[in-house]
mmCIF file of all heavy atoms in Angstrom:
data_model
loop_
_atom_site.group_PDB
_atom_site.id
_atom_site.type_symbol
_atom_site.label_atom_id
_atom_site.label_comp_id
_atom_site.label_asym_id
_atom_site.label_seq_id
_atom_site.Cartn_x
_atom_site.Cartn_y
_atom_site.Cartn_z
ATOM 1 N N HIS A 81 -7.695 -132.029 -33.533
ATOM 2 C CA HIS A 81 -7.817 -132.152 -32.112
ATOM 3 C C HIS A 81 -9.220 -131.742 -31.524
ATOM 4 O O HIS A 81 -9.365 -130.857 -30.688
ATOM 5 C CB HIS A 81 -6.735 -131.306 -31.393
ATOM 6 C CG HIS A 81 -5.376 -131.661 -31.745
ATOM 7 N ND1 HIS A 81 -4.803 -132.852 -31.433
ATOM 8 C CD2 HIS A 81 -4.469 -130.961 -32.505
ATOM 9 C CE1 HIS A 81 -3.571 -132.901 -31.931
ATOM 10 N NE2 HIS A 81 -3.329 -131.771 -32.582
ATOM 11 N N PRO A 82 -10.255 -132.387 -32.054
ATOM 12 C CA PRO A 82 -11.602 -132.059 -31.561
ATOM 13 C C PRO A 82 -11.778 -132.380 -30.073
ATOM 14 O O PRO A 82 -12.670 -131.811 -29.442
ATOM 15 C CB PRO A 82 -12.526 -132.967 -32.385
ATOM 16 C CG PRO A 82 -11.626 -134.097 -32.874
ATOM 17 C CD PRO A 82 -10.233 -133.481 -33.040
ATOM 18 N N GLU A 83 -10.929 -133.231 -29.549
ATOM 19 C CA GLU A 83 -11.037 -133.575 -28.140
ATOM 20 C C GLU A 83 -10.749 -132.435 -27.192
ATOM 21 O O GLU A 83 -11.137 -132.396 -26.005
ATOM 22 C CB GLU A 83 -10.132 -134.756 -27.767
ATOM 23 C CG GLU A 83 -8.614 -134.462 -27.776
ATOM 24 C CD GLU A 83 -8.001 -134.379 -29.168
ATOM 25 O OE1 GLU A 83 -8.705 -134.652 -30.156
ATOM 26 O OE2 GLU A 83 -6.795 -134.154 -29.291
ATOM 27 N N SER A 84 -10.082 -131.383 -27.716
ATOM 28 C CA SER A 84 -9.725 -130.206 -26.875
ATOM 29 C C SER A 84 -10.846 -129.182 -26.848
ATOM 30 O O SER A 84 -10.708 -128.148 -26.178
ATOM 31 C CB SER A 84 -8.440 -129.592 -27.392
ATOM 32 O OG SER A 84 -8.595 -128.989 -28.645
ATOM 33 N N LEU A 85 -11.867 -129.386 -27.638
ATOM 34 C CA LEU A 85 -13.020 -128.479 -27.656
ATOM 35 C C LEU A 85 -13.929 -128.799 -26.445
ATOM 36 O O LEU A 85 -14.850 -129.577 -26.579
ATOM 37 C CB LEU A 85 -13.788 -128.536 -28.966
ATOM 38 C CG LEU A 85 -13.032 -128.109 -30.215
ATOM 39 C CD1 LEU A 85 -13.747 -128.543 -31.466
ATOM 40 C CD2 LEU A 85 -12.853 -126.590 -30.204
ATOM 41 N N LYS A 86 -13.634 -128.190 -25.339
ATOM 42 C CA LYS A 86 -14.270 -128.632 -24.050
ATOM 43 C C LYS A 86 -15.182 -127.617 -23.415
ATOM 44 O O LYS A 86 -15.996 -127.966 -22.556
ATOM 45 C CB LYS A 86 -13.139 -128.969 -23.026
ATOM 46 C CG LYS A 86 -12.263 -130.129 -23.465
ATOM 47 C CD LYS A 86 -11.184 -130.343 -22.396
ATOM 48 C CE LYS A 86 -10.274 -131.464 -22.764
ATOM 49 N NZ LYS A 86 -9.233 -131.672 -21.752
ATOM 50 N N PHE A 87 -15.207 -126.401 -23.876
ATOM 51 C CA PHE A 87 -15.908 -125.300 -23.165
ATOM 52 C C PHE A 87 -17.042 -124.807 -24.024
ATOM 53 O O PHE A 87 -16.830 -124.244 -25.098
ATOM 54 C CB PHE A 87 -14.915 -124.180 -22.824
ATOM 55 C CG PHE A 87 -13.770 -124.649 -21.970
ATOM 56 C CD1 PHE A 87 -12.576 -125.057 -22.547
ATOM 57 C CD2 PHE A 87 -13.893 -124.687 -20.577
ATOM 58 C CE1 PHE A 87 -11.536 -125.543 -21.732
ATOM 59 C CE2 PHE A 87 -12.904 -125.115 -19.779
ATOM 60 C CZ PHE A 87 -11.677 -125.555 -20.356
ATOM 61 N N LYS A 88 -18.285 -125.016 -23.552
ATOM 62 C CA LYS A 88 -19.453 -124.660 -24.311
ATOM 63 C C LYS A 88 -19.720 -123.177 -24.178
ATOM 64 O O LYS A 88 -19.774 -122.639 -23.118
ATOM 65 C CB LYS A 88 -20.660 -125.448 -23.822
ATOM 66 C CG LYS A 88 -21.881 -125.362 -24.749
ATOM 67 C CD LYS A 88 -22.971 -126.287 -24.278
ATOM 68 C CE LYS A 88 -24.177 -126.224 -25.234
ATOM 69 N NZ LYS A 88 -25.266 -127.178 -24.819
ATOM 70 N N THR A 89 -19.961 -122.565 -25.373
ATOM 71 C CA THR A 89 -20.304 -121.118 -25.421
ATOM 72 C C THR A 89 -21.755 -120.888 -25.355
ATOM 73 O O THR A 89 -22.583 -121.840 -25.424
ATOM 74 C CB THR A 89 -19.739 -120.507 -26.715
ATOM 75 O OG1 THR A 89 -20.514 -121.028 -27.805
ATOM 76 C CG2 THR A 89 -18.307 -120.838 -26.908
ATOM 77 N N SER A 90 -22.161 -119.633 -25.207
ATOM 78 C CA SER A 90 -23.599 -119.303 -25.178
ATOM 79 C C SER A 90 -24.239 -119.571 -26.580
ATOM 80 O O SER A 90 -25.475 -119.744 -26.632
ATOM 81 C CB SER A 90 -23.752 -117.794 -24.840
ATOM 82 O OG SER A 90 -23.077 -116.987 -25.782
ATOM 83 N N GLY A 91 -23.403 -119.683 -27.609
ATOM 84 C CA GLY A 91 -23.921 -119.995 -28.934
ATOM 85 C C GLY A 91 -24.131 -121.479 -29.147
ATOM 86 O O GLY A 91 -24.627 -121.897 -30.208
ATOM 87 N N GLY A 92 -23.731 -122.313 -28.183
ATOM 88 C CA GLY A 92 -23.924 -123.746 -28.343
ATOM 89 C C GLY A 92 -22.782 -124.560 -28.827
ATOM 90 O O GLY A 92 -22.811 -125.736 -28.819
ATOM 91 N N TYR A 93 -21.754 -123.894 -29.369
ATOM 92 C CA TYR A 93 -20.595 -124.626 -29.884
ATOM 93 C C TYR A 93 -19.512 -124.637 -28.796
ATOM 94 O O TYR A 93 -19.674 -124.030 -27.691
ATOM 95 C CB TYR A 93 -20.040 -124.009 -31.157
ATOM 96 C CG TYR A 93 -19.794 -122.510 -31.053
ATOM 97 C CD1 TYR A 93 -18.567 -122.014 -30.640
ATOM 98 C CD2 TYR A 93 -20.800 -121.576 -31.373
ATOM 99 C CE1 TYR A 93 -18.345 -120.677 -30.524
ATOM 100 C CE2 TYR A 93 -20.560 -120.206 -31.299
ATOM 101 C CZ TYR A 93 -19.337 -119.796 -30.846
ATOM 102 O OH TYR A 93 -19.123 -118.433 -30.738
ATOM 103 N N PHE A 94 -18.387 -125.305 -29.042
ATOM 104 C CA PHE A 94 -17.365 -125.474 -28.040
ATOM 105 C C PHE A 94 -16.066 -124.796 -28.457
ATOM 106 O O PHE A 94 -15.717 -124.796 -29.677
ATOM 107 C CB PHE A 94 -17.072 -126.947 -27.790
ATOM 108 C CG PHE A 94 -18.228 -127.620 -27.114
ATOM 109 C CD1 PHE A 94 -19.334 -128.089 -27.805
ATOM 110 C CD2 PHE A 94 -18.213 -127.813 -25.713
ATOM 111 C CE1 PHE A 94 -20.378 -128.709 -27.181
ATOM 112 C CE2 PHE A 94 -19.286 -128.434 -25.065
ATOM 113 C CZ PHE A 94 -20.335 -128.913 -25.806
ATOM 114 N N VAL A 95 -15.323 -124.233 -27.506
ATOM 115 C CA VAL A 95 -14.055 -123.636 -27.745
ATOM 116 C C VAL A 95 -13.008 -124.370 -26.909
ATOM 117 O O VAL A 95 -13.332 -125.259 -26.102
ATOM 118 C CB VAL A 95 -14.030 -122.122 -27.431
ATOM 119 C CG1 VAL A 95 -14.961 -121.394 -28.357
ATOM 120 C CG2 VAL A 95 -14.432 -121.908 -25.976
ATOM 121 N N ARG A 96 -11.730 -124.028 -27.067
ATOM 122 C CA ARG A 96 -10.648 -124.886 -26.551
ATOM 123 C C ARG A 96 -10.102 -124.462 -25.174
ATOM 124 O O ARG A 96 -9.366 -125.176 -24.579
ATOM 125 C CB ARG A 96 -9.496 -124.898 -27.533
ATOM 126 C CG ARG A 96 -9.870 -125.484 -28.891
ATOM 127 C CD ARG A 96 -8.712 -125.512 -29.858
ATOM 128 N NE ARG A 96 -9.172 -125.816 -31.210
ATOM 129 C CZ ARG A 96 -9.330 -127.057 -31.670
ATOM 130 N NH1 ARG A 96 -8.967 -128.101 -30.933
ATOM 131 N NH2 ARG A 96 -9.752 -127.294 -32.908
ATOM 132 N N SER A 97 -10.493 -123.299 -24.703
ATOM 133 C CA SER A 97 -9.964 -122.838 -23.413
ATOM 134 C C SER A 97 -10.918 -121.927 -22.734
ATOM 135 O O SER A 97 -11.818 -121.363 -23.362
ATOM 136 C CB SER A 97 -8.596 -122.142 -23.607
ATOM 137 O OG SER A 97 -8.817 -120.864 -24.266
ATOM 138 N N LYS A 98 -10.686 -121.737 -21.438
ATOM 139 C CA LYS A 98 -11.554 -120.798 -20.696
ATOM 140 C C LYS A 98 -11.330 -119.336 -21.147
ATOM 141 O O LYS A 98 -12.243 -118.545 -21.198
ATOM 142 C CB LYS A 98 -11.222 -120.885 -19.180
ATOM 143 C CG LYS A 98 -11.739 -122.179 -18.543
ATOM 144 C CD LYS A 98 -11.429 -122.216 -17.065
ATOM 145 C CE LYS A 98 -11.920 -123.475 -16.402
ATOM 146 N NZ LYS A 98 -11.646 -123.531 -14.982
ATOM 147 N N SER A 99 -10.092 -119.060 -21.574
ATOM 148 C CA SER A 99 -9.785 -117.729 -22.033
ATOM 149 C C SER A 99 -10.517 -117.448 -23.353
ATOM 150 O O SER A 99 -11.081 -116.351 -23.571
ATOM 151 C CB SER A 99 -8.303 -117.562 -22.233
ATOM 152 O OG SER A 99 -7.646 -117.621 -21.016
ATOM 153 N N GLU A 100 -10.557 -118.455 -24.258
ATOM 154 C CA GLU A 100 -11.330 -118.258 -25.510
ATOM 155 C C GLU A 100 -12.798 -118.105 -25.202
ATOM 156 O O GLU A 100 -13.527 -117.332 -25.839
ATOM 157 C CB GLU A 100 -11.108 -119.438 -26.410
ATOM 158 C CG GLU A 100 -9.726 -119.487 -27.042
ATOM 159 C CD GLU A 100 -9.585 -120.589 -28.032
ATOM 160 O OE1 GLU A 100 -10.449 -121.508 -28.091
ATOM 161 O OE2 GLU A 100 -8.576 -120.616 -28.774
ATOM 162 N N LEU A 101 -13.290 -118.813 -24.188
ATOM 163 C CA LEU A 101 -14.696 -118.655 -23.731
ATOM 164 C C LEU A 101 -14.972 -117.248 -23.280
ATOM 165 O O LEU A 101 -16.040 -116.698 -23.605
ATOM 166 C CB LEU A 101 -15.002 -119.681 -22.630
ATOM 167 C CG LEU A 101 -16.416 -119.698 -22.072
ATOM 168 C CD1 LEU A 101 -17.403 -120.077 -23.233
ATOM 169 C CD2 LEU A 101 -16.534 -120.678 -20.963
ATOM 170 N N ILE A 102 -14.055 -116.652 -22.572
ATOM 171 C CA ILE A 102 -14.226 -115.270 -22.095
ATOM 172 C C ILE A 102 -14.329 -114.325 -23.305
ATOM 173 O O ILE A 102 -15.195 -113.470 -23.358
ATOM 174 C CB ILE A 102 -13.063 -114.859 -21.169
ATOM 175 C CG1 ILE A 102 -13.170 -115.642 -19.837
ATOM 176 C CG2 ILE A 102 -13.140 -113.334 -20.915
ATOM 177 C CD1 ILE A 102 -11.932 -115.464 -18.979
ATOM 178 N N ILE A 103 -13.389 -114.478 -24.251
ATOM 179 C CA ILE A 103 -13.385 -113.575 -25.455
ATOM 180 C C ILE A 103 -14.669 -113.816 -26.208
ATOM 181 O O ILE A 103 -15.317 -112.843 -26.647
ATOM 182 C CB ILE A 103 -12.167 -113.903 -26.315
ATOM 183 C CG1 ILE A 103 -10.896 -113.563 -25.595
ATOM 184 C CG2 ILE A 103 -12.273 -113.114 -27.628
ATOM 185 C CD1 ILE A 103 -9.610 -114.008 -26.296
ATOM 186 N N ASP A 104 -15.097 -115.059 -26.415
ATOM 187 C CA ASP A 104 -16.296 -115.405 -27.156
ATOM 188 C C ASP A 104 -17.507 -114.732 -26.482
ATOM 189 O O ASP A 104 -18.359 -114.146 -27.131
ATOM 190 C CB ASP A 104 -16.468 -116.918 -27.164
ATOM 191 C CG ASP A 104 -17.615 -117.380 -28.105
ATOM 192 O OD1 ASP A 104 -18.766 -117.192 -27.681
ATOM 193 O OD2 ASP A 104 -17.314 -117.847 -29.202
ATOM 194 N N ASN A 105 -17.587 -114.841 -25.139
ATOM 195 C CA ASN A 105 -18.761 -114.308 -24.455
ATOM 196 C C ASN A 105 -18.799 -112.759 -24.594
ATOM 197 O O ASN A 105 -19.887 -112.190 -24.771
ATOM 198 C CB ASN A 105 -18.703 -114.631 -22.943
ATOM 199 C CG ASN A 105 -19.167 -116.079 -22.686
ATOM 200 O OD1 ASN A 105 -19.915 -116.681 -23.506
ATOM 201 N ND2 ASN A 105 -18.707 -116.577 -21.600
ATOM 202 N N LEU A 106 -17.646 -112.130 -24.500
ATOM 203 C CA LEU A 106 -17.624 -110.671 -24.592
ATOM 204 C C LEU A 106 -17.940 -110.218 -26.040
ATOM 205 O O LEU A 106 -18.588 -109.162 -26.228
ATOM 206 C CB LEU A 106 -16.297 -110.139 -24.142
ATOM 207 C CG LEU A 106 -16.043 -110.252 -22.630
ATOM 208 C CD1 LEU A 106 -14.596 -109.847 -22.289
ATOM 209 C CD2 LEU A 106 -17.038 -109.322 -21.889
ATOM 210 N N LEU A 107 -17.529 -110.969 -27.033
ATOM 211 C CA LEU A 107 -17.878 -110.640 -28.435
ATOM 212 C C LEU A 107 -19.406 -110.750 -28.601
ATOM 213 O O LEU A 107 -20.052 -109.937 -29.233
ATOM 214 C CB LEU A 107 -17.133 -111.516 -29.404
ATOM 215 C CG LEU A 107 -15.595 -111.326 -29.512
ATOM 216 C CD1 LEU A 107 -15.030 -112.421 -30.385
ATOM 217 C CD2 LEU A 107 -15.291 -109.961 -30.117
ATOM 218 N N SER A 108 -19.948 -111.792 -28.014
ATOM 219 C CA SER A 108 -21.403 -112.051 -28.125
ATOM 220 C C SER A 108 -22.180 -110.964 -27.395
ATOM 221 O O SER A 108 -23.198 -110.465 -27.969
ATOM 222 C CB SER A 108 -21.726 -113.446 -27.614
ATOM 223 O OG SER A 108 -21.180 -114.474 -28.319
ATOM 224 N N ILE A 109 -21.753 -110.667 -26.203
ATOM 225 C CA ILE A 109 -22.448 -109.623 -25.411
ATOM 226 C C ILE A 109 -22.505 -108.300 -26.120
ATOM 227 O O ILE A 109 -23.501 -107.558 -26.079
ATOM 228 C CB ILE A 109 -21.804 -109.486 -24.026
ATOM 229 C CG1 ILE A 109 -22.145 -110.744 -23.170
ATOM 230 C CG2 ILE A 109 -22.290 -108.276 -23.263
ATOM 231 C CD1 ILE A 109 -21.351 -110.818 -21.865
ATOM 232 N N ASN A 110 -21.434 -108.019 -26.821
ATOM 233 C CA ASN A 110 -21.364 -106.739 -27.600
ATOM 234 C C ASN A 110 -21.957 -106.814 -28.951
ATOM 235 O O ASN A 110 -21.805 -105.912 -29.801
ATOM 236 C CB ASN A 110 -19.923 -106.261 -27.657
ATOM 237 C CG ASN A 110 -19.409 -105.662 -26.309
ATOM 238 O OD1 ASN A 110 -19.757 -104.598 -25.974
ATOM 239 N ND2 ASN A 110 -18.573 -106.438 -25.587
ATOM 240 N N LYS A 111 -22.582 -107.952 -29.272
ATOM 241 C CA LYS A 111 -23.317 -108.221 -30.505
ATOM 242 C C LYS A 111 -22.407 -107.976 -31.770
ATOM 243 O O LYS A 111 -22.833 -107.379 -32.770
ATOM 244 C CB LYS A 111 -24.559 -107.344 -30.596
ATOM 245 C CG LYS A 111 -25.547 -107.588 -29.430
ATOM 246 C CD LYS A 111 -26.884 -106.945 -29.673
ATOM 247 C CE LYS A 111 -26.832 -105.482 -29.530
ATOM 248 N NZ LYS A 111 -26.558 -104.993 -28.142
ATOM 249 N N LEU A 112 -21.211 -108.467 -31.684
ATOM 250 C CA LEU A 112 -20.283 -108.359 -32.787
ATOM 251 C C LEU A 112 -20.406 -109.588 -33.656
ATOM 252 O O LEU A 112 -20.456 -110.726 -33.139
ATOM 253 C CB LEU A 112 -18.848 -108.204 -32.297
ATOM 254 C CG LEU A 112 -18.549 -106.924 -31.562
ATOM 255 C CD1 LEU A 112 -17.150 -106.937 -30.994
ATOM 256 C CD2 LEU A 112 -18.740 -105.694 -32.437
ATOM 257 N N PRO A 113 -20.438 -109.456 -35.007
ATOM 258 C CA PRO A 113 -20.506 -110.641 -35.880
ATOM 259 C C PRO A 113 -19.134 -111.303 -35.960
ATOM 260 O O PRO A 113 -18.159 -110.628 -36.358
ATOM 261 C CB PRO A 113 -20.911 -110.028 -37.251
ATOM 262 C CG PRO A 113 -20.489 -108.602 -37.176
ATOM 263 C CD PRO A 113 -20.545 -108.194 -35.703
ATOM 264 N N PHE A 114 -19.061 -112.586 -35.636
ATOM 265 C CA PHE A 114 -17.743 -113.258 -35.661
ATOM 266 C C PHE A 114 -17.894 -114.704 -35.920
ATOM 267 O O PHE A 114 -18.989 -115.308 -35.802
ATOM 268 C CB PHE A 114 -16.974 -113.006 -34.339
ATOM 269 C CG PHE A 114 -17.606 -113.713 -33.127
ATOM 270 C CD1 PHE A 114 -17.145 -115.000 -32.769
ATOM 271 C CD2 PHE A 114 -18.645 -113.149 -32.423
ATOM 272 C CE1 PHE A 114 -17.674 -115.612 -31.649
ATOM 273 C CE2 PHE A 114 -19.160 -113.755 -31.309
ATOM 274 C CZ PHE A 114 -18.740 -115.038 -30.954
#
């Protein structure tokens, strides 16, 4: 289901929901490797 990857992260890739985008951003801001 690549069509559901709609939300672009600060890392340049896409995630599937706004909630995942929030988690992704907070992991990035805290410089956690993931």
Side-chain angles (χ1 to χ4, degrees):
H81 302 292
E83 71 281 358
S84 66
L85 295 166
K86 298 179 180 179
F87 302 92
K88 191 174 182 179
T89 69
S90 59
Y93 53 89
F94 291 83
V95 295
R96 300 179 189 273
S97 70
K98 289 182 179 179
S99 295
E100 288 185 349
L101 182 62
I102 291 171
I103 297 172
D104 189 284
N105 282 337
L106 290 173
L107 291 173
S108 297
I109 288 170
N110 285 285
K111 300 191 289 292
L112 295 174
F114 70 94

